[in-house]
């Protein structure tokens, strides 16, 4: 069984606030402090420091956090093995581009294996990483940014990141100047999306934001977005695999923007995670 003080520590890592941690765990704030002091004495190091009234994790705290998340995950897998009998429960996630356009055939092959019960979550990068930290997923296929201090990772494949428009749009299959895009209506994914984060990073490198576009509409689903773009109501930026999935859409390219990003397997440092990941990866084309 995991020491209850470890669970307090992980909750404080999430909320970085003693008062809020105490409220969430239905404890007193002095009790939270006592649990953290116990762990600091046990490991002979500071786990948290204050920097201008903001709580910060120390290097040692980050190391302990990563270890504890792995142990929590392994305990959860032990419970699942005890409860499930012969069939093993596999839980993995994928961001929306990957889940909708990249892995369906691979998932179909995986479901043909007789030894697993499977739960699959398709959501944005932020949501999946939060679930992974809590040990609620065995691995996730991520298109966006993640903290390599918190997770292990392996490249799944690389993909071009392009402009997407109607095949009848004036940009279709052309290379345009950067300033030309800002006259357009931009369709944008929700906050926490890896696709949105990449676009925002590229824009910031050119001292621009999404606010420079003539109009911005946020949609968290590619199917609706693709239909609106096909009707020539605006443009978006996405991975090429998404654009190729719709015959009504065409790519366009921005001069000086040669963007290629990796899709990654992201997982905790655990033999269970790696075993399941490799079983899935062996079925890729």
């Amino acid at each position: 069984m995991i020491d209850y003080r470890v669970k307090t520590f992980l909750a404080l890592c999430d909320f970085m606030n003693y008062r809020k941690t105490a409220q969430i765990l239905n404890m007193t704030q002095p009790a939270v402090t006592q649990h953290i002091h116990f762990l600091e004495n046990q490991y002979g190091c500071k786990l948290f420091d204050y920097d201008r009234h903001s709580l910060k994790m120390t290097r040692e705290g980050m190391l302990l956090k990563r270890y504890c998340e792995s142990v929590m995950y392994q305990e959860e897998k032990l419970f699942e093995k005890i409860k499930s009998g012969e069939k093993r429960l596999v839980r993995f996630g994928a961001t929306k581009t990957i889940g909708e356009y990249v892995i369906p055939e691979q998932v179909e092959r995986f479901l043909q294996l007789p030894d697993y019960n499977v739960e699959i979550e398709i959501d944005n990068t932020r949501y999946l990483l939060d679930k992974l930290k809590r040990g609620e997923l065995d691995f996730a296929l991520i298109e966006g940014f993640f903290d390599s201090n918190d997770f292990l990772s392996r490249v799944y494949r690389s993909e071009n990141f392009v402009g997407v428009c109607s095949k009848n749009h004036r940009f279709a299959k052309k290379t345009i100047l950067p300033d030309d895009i800002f006259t357009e209506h931009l369709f944008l994914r929700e906050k926490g999306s890896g696709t949105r984060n990449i676009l925002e990073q590229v824009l910031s490198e050119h001292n621009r934001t999404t606010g420079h576009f003539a109009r911005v509409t946020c949609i968290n689903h590619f199917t609706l977005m693709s239909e609106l773009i096909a009707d020539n109501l605006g443009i978006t930026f996405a991975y090429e695999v998404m654009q190729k999935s719709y015959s009504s859409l065409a790519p366009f390219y921005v001069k000086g923007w040669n963007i290629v990003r990796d899709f990654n397997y992201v997982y905790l440092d655990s033999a269970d995670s790696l075993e399941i990941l490799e079983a899935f990866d062996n079925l890729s084309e």
Side-chain angles (χ1 to χ4, degrees), residues 9-63:
F9 166 71
L10 288 175
L12 184 57
C13 291
D14 283 341
F15 298 112
M16 296 304 288
N17 182 288
Y18 279 90
R19 180 185 57 79
K20 188 170 184 179
T21 299
Q23 289 176 341
I24 294 295
L25 297 180
N26 197 25
M27 298 168 58
T28 65
Q29 189 168 325
V32 173
T33 302
Q34 186 179 38
H35 288 185
I36 301 304
H37 284 169
F38 174 88
L39 293 174
E40 289 179 333
N41 290 333
Q42 184 177 37
Y43 291 104
C45 63
K46 290 283 290 180
L47 300 175
F48 298 92
D49 276 322
Y50 278 97
D51 180 12
R52 297 180 182 178
H53 305 293
S54 295
L55 193 64
K56 302 290 185 183
M57 225 181 305
T58 64
R59 183 185 69 86
E60 293 80 6
M62 288 189 283
L63 289 172

Side-chain angles (χ1 to χ4, degrees), residues 178-184 203 208-210 212-215 257:
D179 284 347
D180 292 344
I181 62 174
F182 298 110
T183 62
E184 295 292 321
L203 290 171
R208 296 293 190 116
T209 70
T210 56
H212 286 91
F213 285 83
R215 186 179 181 187
W257 293 19

